[in-house]
Amino acid sequence: MGYFRLALRNLAHRPLRTALTVTGIGLAVAVAVSLIGFNLGYRQSIHTSIDKLGFQVMLMAKGCPYEAATMMLKGGTGLLYLPTSTFDEVKMDPELAAITPIFVGLAQKEGGGLRDDEGGAFVVLSGIDQASFLTMKPWLTFAEGPGREGGRWFAPEAANEVVMGFEVAEYEQRKVGDTFYVTVTPQGQTEPQTHEMKVVGILDRTGTQDDGTVFLPLSTARRLFNRPDELTIVGVKLKEFSGVRLREFEKRWAKLPEVQVVSLQQVKTTLVSLVETAQTMIAAVAVVAIIVAVIGVINTILMSVVERTGEIGIMKAIGATRGDIFQIIWLETLAICLGGGLLGCVGALLGARAVEAALRLLIDVGAHGSIVAITPGILLGALGGAAALGVFAGLYPAWRAASLRPIEAIREGE
Amino acid sequence: MTSQQSSPADSRDPATTGPAHRSDVLEAALPPAVSGATLSSAVAAGGVPASTGGSGAGFPHGGPTVDRSPVIIARGLVRHYHRGSETVRALDGVDLDVRSGEMVAILGPSGSGKTTLINLLSCLDAPDAGTLTVAGRPVTGLGEEALTAVRRGRIGFVFQKFHLLPALTVAENVELPQLFLEQPIDRAHTLEVLRAVDLENRATHLPRELSGGQMQRVAVARALITRPAILIADEPTGNLDRANGEALFALFRRLIAQEGLAVVVTTHNHHLAEQADRIITLEDGRIVREERGCGVGERVTEGG
Ligand SMILES: Nc1ncnc2c1ncn2[C@@H]1O[C@H](COP(=O)(O)OP(=O)(O)OP(=O)(O)O)[C@@H](O)[C@H]1O
Ligand SMILES: [Mg+2]
């Protein structure tokens, strides 16, 4: 029988007290694990959401409406344009992960204006630089199924090819290979011109504005609108997306007179920071829970040391050194904390689903995927943390026990 | 060095024995299952532990009377306790020799310094003045850890309270000193020792399932497991009834006879003290009387 077994036997001898102490640690660990898991999972899903939007930041002309699509669908004509030079300048920013130029224009629907009440008489045209646009939105794929076979991107300079988003294709009832008439009024003219385009691909549903957009090559779009050197949006993806980085980026580029920096993610960012605030508070609660649990452990072990004063004295009398006693008491504390850690991990795993369900119910998390992500790393960390707490919590009681002088311990024990 | 000087009681004639009938009564008090040879043979089979080396501390196998040199030599032991400005002269100059194979009983009124003396003799405490040699090792001026090193394996303890670990079985309690000494644990040996205290069939019981007398015998077995040269018992019968007290002293006598142990025991009971070879009476920290006991053991020693 080694000291560890001896320690376990001592603990098993006081089952209720041991169980209560272990449960206390277990609860604290479970709370901590769940919170860390929630933190990780939520961040992951927020980041997934952010990534899904492709670019996190847009540069637009000052005064241009933020929610461009909405404004346009309502027939708004407030679109403003940036010179291409802005794009060339911003391209040099060191924090950039990717950048893409976009030219947005409105086309009248076929039969112009007749279907106004059905969601607008306009179609959003997006002139894109295919290569950089796809770098940002690599998930864009072509829909399958009858009438959609053989979807592909247009040739980069194609003058009469378009790719349609899923919804606009449904709405306009287009198949791959169909003709789509684009009616636009070029700059400097009053009469609209109609161009015959060919639908070369229909995109899969993404759940974003892209579903309602008709894509065509950037150069073609500029030519149609007669704005050869202008852009509507410069889409930017930062290397590292955080509030701080974003503000830094804004500061750098807001100095350009005509430019406003708009974060598509302002809402999400707000959400993240809100969650962070809540997490700080909950983390504080977790820390308090852990401190309380540790104090509980120290108290329990100290109490059992005092109770066993006589026993400890006799152990020293019959040959136990300070080190022996220290080890035994210390191992008892460690065992309690490790047991609590294990219990907490199991509890957190079991509770994760419930917690997740509750969270989804209580707050609109606006996130994809699992919110509580309890990884093996977190569990190992929790066990390690519990062991560290045990090591720490055991020091004082073990030292107290080891320092008992045998004669006094035996006297007191009598 | 005056270590070889004998105290007056030491010079008693070994032939002087206690009344035969008396020892018969005590033998009768022993459980019949106790086989006198078992512990001895087990010890002999296990060899002499190195820890019992030193002047006169070895186990005298095959007969306890061979080596009668002192295993404890105390000269002028002083131990004062300080309580604020007041000094309690708990021990005030005590000379004492204890030899292998003898039982020394310490009598005295409460507060006379019995426990204080026994704590010094058993290296649980260090004297303020005087010299002390235990199992051939001078222990004067040693620190706590060094005292532990001297104690370990050489001195067995029995206290008024049994202080068994409630979480451990009888056998595990008995083996505890071996755990601390990092000796290999041999359950067969444990059972031998338990048989010597007639508790072989209780090895797997928990202490709470035993009577007081049985618990004290477990404590004795625990004290004996490392084959110490010295057994120290501070009021071991304090929590026992008369019959159990007598049985315990009889057990001590038998162990002395078989193992050549030196036993130092304190008691308030004159009747029990009578069974020692020597009876020392303490008063106010001084030895006021040394008497020869009934020397019950001598009869056994002489092979009677
Ligand atoms: N740790 C201590 N601190 C102060 N005084 C002490 C201490 N231990 C013992 N004493 C005092 O020393 C004296 C001797 O005490 P000791 O315990 O040796 O007596 P004793 O003969 O064993 O008594 P009893 O028969 O009641 O056990 C007493 O006056 C006691 O009050
Ligand atoms: Mg006493």
Side-chain angles (χ1 to χ4, degrees):
Chain A
M1 184 169 60
Y3 290 164
F4 193 66
R5 261 196 73 201
L6 181 58
L8 290 184
R9 295 283 286 276
N10 286 338
L11 291 175
H13 188 66
R14 298 168 171 81
L16 181 65
R17 190 189 297 175
T18 302
L20 288 176
T21 320
V22 167
T23 307
I25 288 281
L27 279 175
V29 169
V31 168
V33 166
S34 303
L35 277 174
I36 296 168
F38 169 68
N39 188 22
L40 187 74
Y42 196 80
R43 268 166 197 278
Q44 276 172 359
S45 56
I46 290 272
H47 277 282
T48 312
S49 306
I50 288 168
D51 281 349
K52 263 261 188 260
L53 286 146
F55 38 83
Q56 310 134 339
V57 187
M58 299 186 300
L59 276 80
M60 302 171 79
K62 269 200 181 123
C64 191
Y66 281 11
E67 294 181 328
T70 316
M71 301 295 277
M72 287 183 281
L73 284 171
K74 285 182 176 163
T77 47
L79 279 173
L80 297 168
Y81 297 90
L82 290 169
T84 307
S85 60
T86 306
F87 172 77
D88 295 332
E89 241 179 295
V90 176
K91 207 162 67 180
M92 298 307 173
D93 192 283
E95 294 295 320
L96 283 191
I99 185 166
T100 192
I102 299 169
F103 185 97
V104 177
L106 297 180
Q108 289 167 38
K109 277 184 177 170
E110 294 167 47
L114 289 179
R115 296 187 306 197
D116 218 352
D117 51 336
E118 285 281 330
F122 300 96
V123 167
V124 180
L125 293 183
S126 247
I128 56 167
D129 169 46
Q130 191 190 329
S132 61
F133 192 75
L134 285 181
T135 321
M136 285 210 192
K137 303 192 177 190
W139 58 84
L140 287 180
T141 52
F142 288 96
E144 298 292 327
R148 293 175 185 138
E149 303 94 339
R152 62 165 175 85
W153 282 102
F154 36 72
E157 299 292 329
N160 54 0
E161 288 181 352
V162 296
V163 167
M164 297 182 92
F166 190 88
E167 270 164 24
V168 72
E170 277 213 321
Y171 192 74
E172 302 291 336
Q173 295 174 0
R174 293 302 134 138
K175 300 196 288 279
V176 172
D178 282 0
T179 303
F180 181 68
Y181 291 97
V182 172
T183 305
V184 299
T185 310
Q187 185 187 213
Q189 295 190 25
T190 47
E191 284 305 301
Q193 296 176 0
T194 302
H195 306 268
E196 184 181 321
M197 313 292 272
K198 191 181 164 204
V199 180
V200 295
I202 294 171
L203 293 172
D204 241 336
R205 195 188 291 277
T206 62
T208 65
Q209 287 184 7
D210 293 340
D211 291 352
T213 305
V214 175
F215 295 96
L216 64 168
L218 179 63
S219 54
T220 308
R222 285 168 149 181
R223 192 156 29 80
L224 293 187
F225 286 92
N226 191 27
R227 289 175 183 274
D229 200 30
E230 284 171 318
L231 291 169
T232 321
I233 297 170
V234 176
V236 165
K237 196 169 184 174
L238 296 176
K239 279 180 189 155
E240 189 193 328
F241 185 67
S242 69
V244 178
R245 291 272 174 262
L246 190 64
R247 275 192 292 281
E248 284 173 8
F249 183 83
E250 270 177 23
K251 243 191 209 151
R252 272 201 296 281
W253 296 108
K255 66 173 190 244
L256 292 182
E258 291 303 313
V259 171
Q260 63 175 344
V261 181
V262 177
S263 167
L264 278 182
Q265 290 314 301
Q266 266 166 348
V267 179
K268 296 252 186 255
T269 310
T270 313
L271 192 57
V272 170
S273 67
L274 262 180
V275 168
E276 274 169 357
T277 313
Q279 277 174 334
T280 311
M281 285 166 64
I282 303 170
V285 172
V287 166
V288 169
I290 286 174
I291 290 173
V292 168
V294 167
I295 290 174
V297 170
I298 296 178
N299 185 41
T300 306
I301 298 287
L302 268 181
M303 227 162 83
S304 82
V305 164
V306 169
E307 257 172 35
R308 291 182 290 169
T309 297
E311 276 171 41
I312 291 166
I314 204 87
M315 285 200 278
K316 290 191 102 176
I318 65 179
T321 60
R322 287 180 68 103
D324 294 331
I325 301 295
F326 189 91
Q327 274 186 58
I328 292 167
I329 304 299
W330 203 41
L331 284 170
E332 283 183 23
T333 324
L334 204 57
I336 282 188
C337 288
L338 272 179
L342 275 174
L343 187 76
C345 285
V346 172
L349 279 176
L350 292 179
R353 281 173 188 278
V355 168
E356 189 159 327
L359 280 175
R360 282 195 189 277
L361 211 68
L362 287 172
I363 51 170
D364 179 16
V365 289
H368 304 279
S370 172
I371 326 169
V372 184
I374 298 180
T375 62
I378 293 178
L379 293 179
L380 279 179
L383 282 180
L389 286 181
V391 165
F392 164 77
L395 285 178
Y396 179 64
W399 175 81
R400 271 279 297 265
S403 306
L404 282 174
R405 299 191 57 218
I407 42 170
E408 276 142 32
I410 293 164
R411 271 167 74 100
E412 275 171 38
E414 263 171 16
Chain B
M1 186 72 177
T2 55
S3 64
Q4 292 311 308
Q5 287 174 359
S6 295
S7 48
D10 243 350
S11 59
R12 74 188 173 340
D13 180 359
T16 313
T17 59
H21 73 272
R22 183 159 183 173
S23 55
D24 285 344
V25 168
L26 285 162
E27 286 295 290
L30 269 179
V34 173
S35 152
T38 46
L39 185 54
S40 242
S41 55
V43 170
V48 181
S51 61
T52 57
S55 74
F59 267 24
H61 296 115
T65 55
V66 177
D67 187 350
R68 301 300 300 270
S69 56
V71 287
I72 298 176
I73 304 158
R75 291 294 174 271
L77 287 187
V78 172
R79 182 72 170 94
H80 291 174
Y81 295 112
H82 303 281
R83 262 194 231 126
S85 57
E86 189 191 352
T87 298
V88 181
R89 299 169 160 268
L91 220 54
D92 212 8
V94 167
D95 299 340
L96 181 66
D97 285 2
V98 182
R99 294 168 186 278
S100 294
E102 81 168 340
M103 186 199 296
V104 176
I106 301 171
L107 273 174
S110 188
S112 57
K114 302 185 293 296
T115 298
T116 305
L117 174 59
I118 224 160
N119 285 342
L120 295 182
L121 298 184
S122 56
C123 304
L124 287 173
D125 195 11
D128 294 324
T131 59
L132 179 62
T133 305
V134 174
R137 280 157 180 77
V139 296
T140 319
L142 294 185
E144 188 195 327
E145 292 292 278
L147 284 177
T148 305
V150 174
R151 258 192 338 259
R152 278 156 70 103
R154 297 189 182 92
I155 302 173
F157 289 90
V158 180
F159 292 91
Q160 177 172 348
K161 267 215 181 160
F162 324 120
H163 290 306
L164 302 178
L165 266 58
L168 303 185
T169 65
V170 164
E172 286 164 345
N173 263 291
V174 170
E175 288 159 354
L176 205 54
Q178 292 184 299
L179 180 68
F180 296 132
L181 266 70
E182 285 161 28
Q183 286 180 355
I185 287 167
D186 173 11
R187 188 47 67 88
H189 174 60
T190 309
L191 292 176
E192 295 280 2
V193 176
L194 278 173
R195 185 179 304 147
V197 298
D198 190 36
L199 283 172
E200 196 190 12
N201 56 348
R202 299 287 184 150
T204 57
H205 286 225
L206 288 174
R208 64 163 177 270
E209 298 161 348
L210 302 181
S211 73
Q214 287 168 332
M215 284 198 262
Q216 194 58 299
R217 268 148 53 210
V218 174
V220 172
R222 180 176 62 187
L224 294 175
I225 190 79
T226 57
R227 300 165 183 132
I230 304 160
L231 182 68
I232 302 271
D234 193 9
E235 292 192 46
T237 60
N239 280 348
L240 300 181
D241 62 18
R242 189 189 152 108
N244 274 312
E246 286 182 350
L248 188 70
F249 267 67
L251 176 61
F252 287 161
R253 280 254 59 106
R254 195 159 43 76
L255 291 170
I256 291 164
Q258 288 162 8
E259 312 298 331
L261 271 176
V263 175
V264 181
V265 58
T266 68
T267 179
H268 284 286
N269 186 328
H270 285 82
H271 168 70
L272 286 175
E274 286 286 298
Q275 293 171 47
D277 299 299
R278 286 189 290 143
I279 304 162
I280 286 162
T281 307
L282 279 181
E283 258 169 46
D284 295 332
R286 294 171 186 275
I287 295 179
V288 294
R289 198 157 47 244
E290 287 202 30
E291 306 159 82
R292 215 179 290 157
C294 297
V296 185
E298 293 303 314
R299 184 190 58 82
V300 181
T301 302
E302 299 302 311

